[in-house]
Amino acid sequence: MRTTVFRQKMAEEFGSVRAEMLVSDHVFSGLDGRTVEQALKAGVQAKQIWQVVCADFGIPAERR
């Protein structure tokens, strides 16, 4: 998954403002205590990050 697709999915799921807040401010234990931005900079694949976000927020399988 490309980062642009990841960001689009985030915006569709949470709305653009909340998605940006989650990307920059929310710390995920599934990302070793990092934010999405930090995980992306560390080289974590966008698909893996999306899976963590989906698990943490209970996003149904059909929208994953």
Side-chain angles (χ1 to χ4, degrees):
M1 171 186 296
R2 292 178 176 236
T3 304
T4 54
V5 173
F6 167 78
R7 289 188 181 276
Q8 180 181 10
K9 285 182 172 286
M10 288 288 291
E12 289 170 358
E13 190 63 39
F14 300 105
S16 59
V17 173
R18 184 166 182 223
E20 286 304 314
M21 184 227 31
L22 290 173
V23 166
S24 62
D25 297 334
H26 189 84
V27 174
F28 291 89
S29 61
L31 298 175
D32 297 326
R34 295 180 285 199
T35 66
V36 169
E37 282 182 348
Q38 291 167 334
L40 286 169
K41 287 180 184 175
V44 179
Q45 295 294 313
K47 183 176 182 177
Q48 181 182 349
I49 295 170
W50 177 242
Q51 291 169 345
V52 169
V53 171
C54 289
D56 278 13
F57 285 94
I59 296 172
E62 63 270 8
R63 293 199 313 257
R64 292 182 182 198

